[in-house]
Amino acid sequence: MELVNRTEISEFFLKGFSGYPALEHLLFPLCSAMYLVTLLGNTAIMAVSVLDVRLHTPMYFFLGNLSILDICYTSTFVPLMLVHLLSAQKTISFIGCAVQMCLSLSAGSTECLLLAIMAYDRYLAICRPLRYPVLMSHRLCLFLAGTVWGLCLFKSVTETVIAMRLPFCGRQVVSHFTCEILAVLKLACGDTSVSEVFLLVGAILLLPVPLAFICLSYILILATILRVPSAAGRRKAFSTCSAHLAVVMLFYGTVIFMYMKPKSKKARVSDEVFTVLYAVVTPMLNPVIYSLRNTEVKEAARKVWGRSWTSK
């Protein structure tokens, strides 16, 4: 297939919320604040996990990966979205659109699998405590994280190349505030069946399969917790599980709604609101739900903070 779209289109217009000026004025301070909290919260988690030796465990290694992922994910589109909310010029270059699409797909796919790995890590820690250090070794942690990041990047590059090679016949208005792949595919005037098959297979492998694995892991965890004799220990474990499951439900629920619902010919504002929910709110809440409620992280943060003031 010839790259005819490269000669016909040099940029895309991201429609976003341009038809709702009042909503744009409301979203700018709201999204700015959430993005700032996302950057600060996840950066703090990474710093504490690296600086405190007590947190050099598989759980906090994966939490550090999740923090890096959340920063990368939101940074692929939030800064440009904030600029567009205040500007009438809401364009993005063809290459910029492809890069944004690829990085967003890669980050989202990686988070799906990373959440499953984190559930498996908690299963081993709670249900197999004696063998946990052997089963979840540092080498295995590095292998799992590297494999997930690499495979998801390869998958996303493939999906992006297939989508952006399609002819667009001069159509350049994307009914979205990012170069989201489904929104871009609606502009194509060629056969999109290959791209749709790739997306469907990816959605099945990255949504129901990891989600089922997560649910199974937590069912086994809860069964183990119920056998804990201490009431205080059960409450603490239940609180941790409910926090993990809350983020999993928020992330997977909104993603499944976006990517596995029946296709509609006309874009709706509700779709973009759901996208903001899982793309901006979830990364902001992850440090709070996963880590900042954890006593070990709080103590480590106080220790690192006190050490920094002492050195001054």
Side-chain angles (χ1 to χ4, degrees), residues 112 116 205-216 248-249 252-253 256:
C112 289
L205 293 177
L206 294 173
L207 295 176
V209 174
L211 183 58
F213 183 80
I214 291 172
C215 291
L216 177 61
V248 168
M249 291 174 61
Y252 273 97
I256 289 173

Side-chain angles (χ1 to χ4, degrees), residues 141-173:
C141 292
L142 292 175
F143 173 77
L144 290 175
T147 300
V148 166
W149 282 83
L151 286 179
C152 290
L153 180 60
F154 175 77
K155 164 191 166 293
S156 302
V157 169
T158 303
E159 292 174 342
T160 301
V161 170
I162 293 174
M164 299 304 282
R165 284 174 62 90
L166 292 169
F168 294 100
C169 305
R171 302 172 184 173
Q172 58 183 150
V173 179

Side-chain angles (χ1 to χ4, degrees), residues 240-252:
T240 303
C241 289
S242 63
H244 282 72
L245 289 175
V247 171
V248 168
M249 291 174 61
L250 176 63
F251 179 82
Y252 273 97

Side-chain angles (χ1 to χ4, degrees), residues 86-264:
L86 296 181
S87 172
Q89 190 74 11
K90 306 178 189 297
T91 58
I92 185 173
S93 68
F94 184 91
I95 298 298
C97 182
V99 171
Q100 185 184 71
M101 179 188 298
C102 179
L103 294 180
S104 297
L105 283 171
S106 179
S109 302
T110 304
E111 183 152 353
C112 289
L113 296 181
L114 188 60
L115 289 174
I117 292 175
M118 293 171 69
Y120 177 65
D121 171 70
R122 290 299 84 206
Y123 160 76
L124 291 180
I126 296 175
C127 301
R128 299 288 185 271
L130 297 180
R131 300 189 62 194
Y132 177 66
V134 177
L135 294 175
M136 190 58 72
S137 63
H138 182 64
R139 179 178 297 181
L140 179 60
C141 292
L142 292 175
F143 173 77
L144 290 175
T147 300
V148 166
W149 282 83
L151 286 179
C152 290
L153 180 60
F154 175 77
K155 164 191 166 293
S156 302
V157 169
T158 303
E159 292 174 342
T160 301
V161 170
I162 293 174
M164 299 304 282
R165 284 174 62 90
L166 292 169
F168 294 100
C169 305
R171 302 172 184 173
Q172 58 183 150
V173 179
V174 180
S175 297
H176 213 278
F177 55 85
T178 69
C179 280
E180 198 267 344
I181 189 167
L182 294 180
V184 173
L185 284 178
K186 290 180 180 179
L187 305 180
C189 55
D191 183 14
T192 62
S193 58
V194 175
S195 184
E196 290 173 354
V197 168
F198 267 84
L199 289 175
L200 179 60
V201 172
I204 293 174
L205 293 177
L206 294 173
L207 295 176
V209 174
L211 183 58
F213 183 80
I214 291 172
C215 291
L216 177 61
S217 298
Y218 278 112
I219 289 173
L220 296 175
I221 289 172
L222 291 175
T224 302
I225 291 173
L226 291 175
R227 294 196 294 267
V228 175
S230 169
R234 287 197 300 269
R235 282 196 300 269
K236 181 179 179 180
F238 273 123
S239 176
T240 303
C241 289
S242 63
H244 282 72
L245 289 175
V247 171
V248 168
M249 291 174 61
L250 176 63
F251 179 82
Y252 273 97
T254 50
V255 173
I256 289 173
F257 172 82
M258 288 298 301
Y259 288 97
M260 300 197 74
K261 63 175 183 171
K263 292 175 61 179
S264 60

Side-chain angles (χ1 to χ4, degrees), residues 5-44:
N5 55 334
R6 287 188 181 275
T7 58
E8 294 180 358
I9 291 181
S10 60
E11 63 181 15
F12 289 97
F13 177 84
L14 300 178
K15 185 179 178 181
F17 301 101
S18 57
Y20 305 88
L23 184 58
E24 286 186 322
H25 295 151
L26 174 65
L27 285 175
F28 179 78
L30 184 61
C31 290
S32 298
M34 289 191 294
Y35 183 54
L36 181 61
V37 172
T38 299
L39 293 179
L40 294 177
N42 285 288
T43 301

